[in-house]
Short mmCIF file of all heavy atoms in Angstrom, two decimals:
data_model
loop_
_atom_site.label_atom_id
_atom_site.label_comp_id
_atom_site.label_asym_id
_atom_site.label_seq_id
_atom_site.Cartn_x
_atom_site.Cartn_y
_atom_site.Cartn_z
N MET A 1 -52.00 -5.94 22.43
CA MET A 1 -51.90 -5.96 23.74
C MET A 1 -52.68 -7.13 24.46
O MET A 1 -52.14 -7.82 25.35
CB MET A 1 -52.15 -4.62 24.55
CG MET A 1 -51.80 -4.69 26.04
SD MET A 1 -50.21 -4.98 26.52
CE MET A 1 -49.41 -3.38 26.02
N ALA A 2 -53.97 -7.23 24.00
CA ALA A 2 -54.81 -8.22 24.54
C ALA A 2 -54.30 -9.50 24.09
O ALA A 2 -54.39 -10.56 24.97
CB ALA A 2 -56.24 -8.00 24.02
N ILE A 3 -53.82 -9.79 22.94
CA ILE A 3 -53.29 -10.98 22.42
C ILE A 3 -52.09 -11.39 23.29
O ILE A 3 -51.92 -12.58 23.67
CB ILE A 3 -52.90 -10.92 20.91
CG1 ILE A 3 -54.21 -10.82 20.21
CG2 ILE A 3 -52.13 -12.21 20.52
CD1 ILE A 3 -53.98 -10.36 18.72
N ALA A 4 -51.21 -10.45 23.41
CA ALA A 4 -49.99 -10.63 24.27
C ALA A 4 -50.27 -11.12 25.75
O ALA A 4 -49.55 -11.91 26.21
CB ALA A 4 -49.05 -9.41 24.25
N GLN A 5 -51.39 -10.54 26.26
CA GLN A 5 -51.69 -10.86 27.63
C GLN A 5 -52.30 -12.30 27.78
O GLN A 5 -52.16 -12.96 28.80
CB GLN A 5 -52.53 -9.83 28.21
CG GLN A 5 -51.91 -8.52 28.41
CD GLN A 5 -52.80 -7.46 29.02
OE1 GLN A 5 -53.99 -7.44 28.84
NE2 GLN A 5 -52.19 -6.41 29.62
N VAL A 6 -53.09 -12.65 26.82
CA VAL A 6 -53.84 -14.03 26.85
C VAL A 6 -52.87 -15.15 26.42
O VAL A 6 -53.17 -16.20 26.82
CB VAL A 6 -55.18 -13.89 26.08
CG1 VAL A 6 -54.73 -14.01 24.59
CG2 VAL A 6 -56.20 -14.96 26.62
N LEU A 7 -51.86 -14.83 25.56
CA LEU A 7 -51.10 -15.94 25.05
C LEU A 7 -50.40 -16.76 26.05
O LEU A 7 -50.41 -17.95 25.98
CB LEU A 7 -49.98 -15.35 24.10
CG LEU A 7 -49.07 -16.34 23.40
CD1 LEU A 7 -49.81 -17.27 22.52
CD2 LEU A 7 -47.93 -15.59 22.61
N PRO A 8 -49.77 -16.30 27.02
CA PRO A 8 -49.10 -17.13 28.11
C PRO A 8 -50.06 -18.13 28.77
O PRO A 8 -49.64 -19.30 28.96
CB PRO A 8 -48.58 -16.16 29.13
CG PRO A 8 -48.33 -14.89 28.32
CD PRO A 8 -49.61 -14.90 27.37
N ALA A 9 -51.21 -17.72 29.04
CA ALA A 9 -52.19 -18.60 29.77
C ALA A 9 -52.61 -19.70 28.67
O ALA A 9 -52.84 -20.88 29.06
CB ALA A 9 -53.47 -17.81 30.11
N LEU A 10 -52.81 -19.46 27.34
CA LEU A 10 -53.14 -20.39 26.26
C LEU A 10 -52.24 -21.44 26.10
O LEU A 10 -52.39 -22.50 25.86
CB LEU A 10 -53.67 -19.66 25.01
CG LEU A 10 -54.85 -18.79 25.06
CD1 LEU A 10 -55.04 -18.14 23.79
CD2 LEU A 10 -55.99 -19.68 25.37
N VAL A 11 -50.88 -20.99 26.14
CA VAL A 11 -49.81 -22.04 25.87
C VAL A 11 -49.24 -22.61 27.18
O VAL A 11 -48.26 -23.28 27.09
CB VAL A 11 -48.64 -21.37 25.03
CG1 VAL A 11 -49.29 -20.95 23.71
CG2 VAL A 11 -48.12 -20.18 25.71
N ASP A 12 -49.68 -22.20 28.30
CA ASP A 12 -49.39 -22.73 29.61
C ASP A 12 -47.93 -22.40 29.94
O ASP A 12 -47.16 -23.37 30.20
CB ASP A 12 -49.75 -24.24 29.77
CG ASP A 12 -49.56 -24.58 31.24
OD1 ASP A 12 -49.78 -23.74 32.17
OD2 ASP A 12 -49.36 -25.82 31.43
N LYS A 13 -47.39 -21.25 29.60
CA LYS A 13 -45.99 -20.92 29.74
C LYS A 13 -45.88 -19.65 30.41
O LYS A 13 -46.91 -18.75 30.40
CB LYS A 13 -45.30 -20.83 28.45
CG LYS A 13 -45.02 -22.16 27.72
CD LYS A 13 -44.22 -22.03 26.57
CE LYS A 13 -43.75 -23.35 25.93
NZ LYS A 13 -42.82 -23.98 26.68
N PRO A 14 -44.89 -19.33 31.17
CA PRO A 14 -44.66 -17.93 31.79
C PRO A 14 -44.55 -16.96 30.63
O PRO A 14 -44.31 -17.19 29.54
CB PRO A 14 -43.29 -18.04 32.44
CG PRO A 14 -43.16 -19.54 32.76
CD PRO A 14 -43.85 -20.22 31.50
N TYR A 15 -44.80 -15.68 31.09
CA TYR A 15 -44.89 -14.58 29.98
C TYR A 15 -43.70 -14.60 29.20
O TYR A 15 -43.78 -14.42 27.84
CB TYR A 15 -45.07 -13.34 30.71
CG TYR A 15 -45.62 -12.18 29.82
CD1 TYR A 15 -46.87 -12.02 29.36
CD2 TYR A 15 -44.68 -11.30 29.32
CE1 TYR A 15 -47.31 -10.95 28.57
CE2 TYR A 15 -44.91 -10.33 28.41
CZ TYR A 15 -46.25 -10.10 28.14
OH TYR A 15 -46.69 -9.15 27.29
N LEU A 16 -42.53 -14.58 29.79
CA LEU A 16 -41.24 -14.50 28.97
C LEU A 16 -40.92 -15.60 28.01
O LEU A 16 -40.02 -15.53 27.14
CB LEU A 16 -40.11 -14.17 30.00
CG LEU A 16 -40.15 -12.86 30.66
CD1 LEU A 16 -38.97 -12.69 31.67
CD2 LEU A 16 -40.22 -11.66 29.74
N GLN A 17 -41.57 -16.88 28.36
CA GLN A 17 -41.18 -17.92 27.55
C GLN A 17 -42.27 -18.16 26.44
O GLN A 17 -42.05 -18.92 25.62
CB GLN A 17 -41.16 -19.29 28.44
CG GLN A 17 -40.10 -19.17 29.39
CD GLN A 17 -40.12 -20.47 30.29
OE1 GLN A 17 -40.85 -21.40 30.05
NE2 GLN A 17 -39.13 -20.49 31.31
N ALA A 18 -43.31 -17.51 26.54
CA ALA A 18 -44.43 -17.68 25.57
C ALA A 18 -43.99 -17.24 24.14
O ALA A 18 -44.53 -17.79 23.10
CB ALA A 18 -45.60 -16.87 25.96
N ALA A 19 -43.03 -16.41 24.04
CA ALA A 19 -42.57 -15.94 22.66
C ALA A 19 -41.79 -17.02 21.93
O ALA A 19 -41.78 -17.00 20.73
CB ALA A 19 -41.67 -14.70 22.77
N SER A 20 -41.34 -18.05 22.59
CA SER A 20 -40.59 -19.14 21.96
C SER A 20 -41.54 -20.24 21.49
O SER A 20 -41.02 -21.21 20.89
CB SER A 20 -39.59 -19.69 22.95
OG SER A 20 -40.25 -20.34 24.01
N VAL A 21 -42.83 -20.10 21.53
CA VAL A 21 -43.77 -21.10 21.08
C VAL A 21 -43.72 -21.25 19.55
O VAL A 21 -43.83 -20.16 18.90
CB VAL A 21 -45.22 -20.85 21.67
CG1 VAL A 21 -46.26 -21.76 21.00
CG2 VAL A 21 -45.16 -20.94 23.10
N ASN A 22 -43.70 -22.34 18.97
CA ASN A 22 -43.68 -22.60 17.67
C ASN A 22 -45.19 -22.65 17.13
O ASN A 22 -45.88 -23.59 17.60
CB ASN A 22 -43.03 -23.89 17.23
CG ASN A 22 -42.91 -24.10 15.68
OD1 ASN A 22 -43.47 -23.32 14.89
ND2 ASN A 22 -42.42 -25.24 15.29
N CYS A 23 -45.53 -21.71 16.37
CA CYS A 23 -47.00 -21.57 15.95
C CYS A 23 -47.27 -22.17 14.67
O CYS A 23 -48.20 -21.64 13.86
CB CYS A 23 -47.53 -20.14 16.10
SG CYS A 23 -47.40 -19.47 17.81
N ASP A 24 -46.55 -23.02 14.10
CA ASP A 24 -46.91 -23.60 12.84
C ASP A 24 -48.08 -24.55 12.77
O ASP A 24 -48.57 -24.81 13.94
CB ASP A 24 -45.61 -24.23 12.19
CG ASP A 24 -45.12 -25.49 12.92
OD1 ASP A 24 -46.01 -25.99 13.66
OD2 ASP A 24 -43.90 -25.93 12.79
N ALA A 25 -48.43 -25.11 11.67
CA ALA A 25 -49.59 -25.88 11.63
C ALA A 25 -49.61 -27.07 12.41
O ALA A 25 -50.61 -27.60 13.04
CB ALA A 25 -49.88 -26.38 10.11
N SER A 26 -48.32 -27.66 12.74
CA SER A 26 -48.20 -28.93 13.48
C SER A 26 -48.54 -28.60 14.97
O SER A 26 -48.91 -29.59 15.78
CB SER A 26 -46.81 -29.51 13.48
OG SER A 26 -45.89 -28.49 14.00
N THR A 27 -48.59 -27.41 15.45
CA THR A 27 -48.88 -27.15 16.91
C THR A 27 -50.30 -26.61 17.11
O THR A 27 -50.64 -26.27 18.16
CB THR A 27 -47.89 -26.16 17.57
OG1 THR A 27 -48.06 -24.91 16.70
CG2 THR A 27 -46.54 -26.74 17.42
N THR A 28 -50.95 -26.42 15.97
CA THR A 28 -52.37 -25.86 16.08
C THR A 28 -53.31 -26.88 16.78
O THR A 28 -53.25 -28.00 16.52
CB THR A 28 -52.96 -25.51 14.76
OG1 THR A 28 -52.05 -24.66 14.01
CG2 THR A 28 -54.31 -25.04 14.78
N ALA A 29 -54.06 -26.37 17.63
CA ALA A 29 -54.88 -27.32 18.50
C ALA A 29 -55.89 -27.80 17.59
O ALA A 29 -56.52 -27.20 16.69
CB ALA A 29 -55.50 -26.55 19.60
N SER A 30 -56.30 -29.00 17.87
CA SER A 30 -57.35 -29.81 16.99
C SER A 30 -58.72 -29.48 17.53
O SER A 30 -58.91 -29.11 18.81
CB SER A 30 -57.03 -31.26 16.96
OG SER A 30 -57.11 -31.76 18.31
N PRO A 31 -59.69 -29.63 16.76
CA PRO A 31 -61.21 -29.44 17.21
C PRO A 31 -61.63 -30.11 18.41
O PRO A 31 -62.33 -29.73 19.24
CB PRO A 31 -62.05 -29.77 16.08
CG PRO A 31 -61.17 -29.50 14.83
CD PRO A 31 -59.80 -29.99 15.34
N ASP A 32 -60.94 -31.32 18.59
CA ASP A 32 -61.36 -32.19 19.87
C ASP A 32 -60.81 -31.66 21.09
O ASP A 32 -61.19 -32.10 22.11
CB ASP A 32 -60.92 -33.69 19.55
CG ASP A 32 -59.47 -33.93 19.42
OD1 ASP A 32 -58.75 -32.86 19.16
OD2 ASP A 32 -59.01 -34.94 19.66
N GLN A 33 -60.10 -30.65 20.98
CA GLN A 33 -59.43 -30.04 22.20
C GLN A 33 -60.24 -28.91 22.68
O GLN A 33 -59.91 -28.14 23.60
CB GLN A 33 -57.91 -29.65 21.93
CG GLN A 33 -57.03 -30.79 21.80
CD GLN A 33 -55.67 -30.31 21.45
OE1 GLN A 33 -55.33 -29.87 20.41
NE2 GLN A 33 -54.71 -30.43 22.52
N GLY A 34 -61.42 -28.57 21.91
CA GLY A 34 -62.17 -27.53 22.32
C GLY A 34 -62.04 -26.32 21.53
O GLY A 34 -62.64 -25.25 21.86
N PHE A 35 -61.04 -26.23 20.67
CA PHE A 35 -60.78 -25.04 19.95
C PHE A 35 -61.54 -24.95 18.61
O PHE A 35 -61.78 -26.00 18.10
CB PHE A 35 -59.22 -24.84 19.47
CG PHE A 35 -58.36 -24.66 20.70
CD1 PHE A 35 -58.01 -25.80 21.41
CD2 PHE A 35 -57.91 -23.43 21.09
CE1 PHE A 35 -57.13 -25.61 22.60
CE2 PHE A 35 -56.95 -23.24 22.05
CZ PHE A 35 -56.61 -24.36 22.83
N SER A 36 -61.95 -23.76 18.29
CA SER A 36 -62.67 -23.72 16.92
C SER A 36 -62.37 -22.38 16.30
O SER A 36 -62.20 -21.32 17.04
CB SER A 36 -64.19 -23.85 17.07
OG SER A 36 -64.70 -22.86 17.89
N PRO A 37 -62.20 -22.32 15.03
CA PRO A 37 -61.90 -21.05 14.40
C PRO A 37 -63.01 -20.04 14.55
O PRO A 37 -64.17 -20.52 14.64
CB PRO A 37 -61.61 -21.40 12.94
CG PRO A 37 -62.46 -22.62 12.73
CD PRO A 37 -62.39 -23.36 14.06
N PRO A 38 -62.74 -18.74 14.53
CA PRO A 38 -63.82 -17.76 14.52
C PRO A 38 -64.83 -17.83 13.29
O PRO A 38 -64.25 -18.22 12.22
CB PRO A 38 -63.10 -16.45 14.61
CG PRO A 38 -61.78 -16.67 14.02
CD PRO A 38 -61.42 -18.04 14.28
#
């Protein structure tokens, strides 16, 4: 539930459109964008 609620904000899409995001390796944010793995 927490993941589902935070996903739309992370992908900058409305809640109902967030499910269509392609999460393969080509769309993974790079370190220079401020993301880092846990």
